[in-house]
Amino acid sequence: MGLLECCARCLVGAPFASLVATGLCFFGVALFCGCGHEALTGTEKLIETYFSKNYQDYEYLINVIHAFQYVIYGTASFFFLYGALLLAEGFYTTGAVRQIFGDYKTTICGKGLSATVTGGQKGRGSRGQHQARSLERVCHCLGKWLGHPDKFVGITYALTIVWLLVFACSAVPVYIYFNTWTTCQSIAFPSKTSASIGSLCADARMYGVLPWNAFPGKVCGSNLLSICKTAEFQMTFHLFIAAFVGAAATLVSLLTFMIAATYNFAVLKLMGRGTKF
């Protein structure tokens, strides 16, 4: 059998939905975590430079920002591991489903992989047999976990609900920066509004970013327009938008994972394979 034919037959059992969802998940989490981290840093600089001169006013905000940045590190690590497990589960359950429908058969590639995992019977020294047995134990333990797709469905469902809240929260800074940018546009083109330029302000206290006794707490008129023109403000605004897009991509990937895992579990359950296979 040629190499191309072997690869083509091996791809028959590939879970394409899980592959797409995994790529989307890694892309979305990387975008959300990377851009979100830098956007929070930019927000910290904007607040301490333009909206408050007293460190006590924004000390709590700085602690919250740093806490969120640490959470971002953990989120990136968790999703990398969980995405890999979901991809492995996709391969495991898709292969079982296609065996039921007769669309997936053992190939030379599969036999070679099996021989590699089990260590074979010939041409192995004691060291090679020990390594093969260790790898076989790892694969056995992983297989026992992957053999329960109902667990993955439940965990992914709960994770999707949690990430839906994260997605909603990621829209809040985009809303705040968009309102500020809109106010700046009104200042830059006064003919589009009936209000005086001096009364057009961006008040960080109004959004709960700073306490009400913070001074000055708000920036108005031409001072606000100069802030909006800075590269720091523009970059932070676009980073928050990118983080929001990343959160949306991650949510779509989790929904895709959940639909694929639910379908595979339902087929296996309906065909009498139970929750173990």
Side-chain angles (χ1 to χ4, degrees):
M1 181 184 297
L3 178 61
L4 292 178
E5 184 180 356
C6 179
C7 293
R9 295 186 64 181
C10 287
L11 286 175
V12 171
F16 294 106
S18 295
L19 287 172
V20 173
T22 302
L24 193 61
C25 178
F26 288 165
F27 168 76
V29 170
L31 194 63
F32 173 78
C33 293
C35 294
H37 182 278
E38 293 303 313
L40 289 173
T41 302
T43 299
E44 177 182 343
K45 293 179 179 178
L46 287 172
I47 290 295
E48 65 186 9
T49 302
Y50 300 107
F51 288 90
S52 180
K53 303 301 181 182
N54 185 4
Y55 177 75
Q56 300 297 327
D57 291 339
Y58 57 86
E59 180 181 9
Y60 178 75
L61 174 66
I62 299 301
N63 294 331
V64 171
I65 288 177
H66 290 169
F68 271 118
Q69 288 177 333
Y70 283 115
V71 170
I72 284 175
Y73 300 146
T75 300
S77 302
F78 170 78
F79 269 95
F80 178 79
L81 176 61
Y82 192 69
L85 284 176
L86 285 176
L87 180 60
E89 173 68 11
F91 273 99
Y92 203 75
T93 54
T94 301
V97 169
R98 291 181 179 178
Q99 281 180 352
I100 292 175
F101 291 106
D103 294 333
Y104 184 78
K105 299 179 181 180
T106 303
T107 65
I108 292 177
C109 300
K111 292 178 180 178
L113 178 61
S114 177
T116 302
V117 172
T118 57
Q121 300 294 331
K122 298 181 181 181
R124 293 280 184 180
S126 58
R127 183 178 179 182
Q129 290 178 354
H130 177 72
Q131 291 176 346
R133 283 195 296 269
S134 300
L135 182 58
E136 186 177 0
R137 291 193 195 100
V138 173
C139 293
H140 178 69
C141 294
L142 184 60
K144 289 180 66 177
W145 173 253
L146 295 178
H148 294 272
D150 53 325
K151 293 181 180 179
F152 279 94
V153 172
I155 295 174
T156 306
Y157 181 82
L159 190 60
T160 303
I161 298 299
V162 173
W163 195 258
L164 187 62
L165 297 177
V166 174
F167 172 70
C169 291
S170 67
V172 174
V174 176
Y175 171 76
I176 294 175
Y177 273 86
F178 178 76
N179 278 351
T180 304
W181 178 79
T182 302
T183 304
C184 289
Q185 292 298 108
S186 299
I187 297 173
F189 303 98
S191 60
K192 295 182 178 180
T193 179
S194 58
S196 62
I197 295 179
S199 63
L200 297 175
C201 304
D203 194 342
R205 300 169 299 180
M206 182 176 65
Y207 301 106
V209 176
L210 293 175
W212 282 107
N213 59 352
F215 180 82
K218 65 178 181 178
V219 181
C220 303
S222 58
N223 292 331
L224 178 60
L225 182 61
S226 63
I227 294 175
C228 291
K229 290 181 178 180
T230 61
E232 192 173 29
F233 177 87
Q234 295 290 336
M235 179 61 69
T236 304
F237 183 23
H238 288 93
L239 284 173
F240 271 123
I241 294 175
F244 177 74
V245 173
T250 305
L251 181 62
V252 172
S253 71
L254 288 174
L255 291 173
T256 305
F257 273 130
M258 188 172 62
I259 293 171
T262 303
Y263 170 78
N264 289 336
F265 171 66
V267 171
L268 294 172
K269 193 75 172 178
L270 183 63
M271 301 302 291
R273 296 292 294 271
T275 59
K276 296 181 180 181
F277 47 92

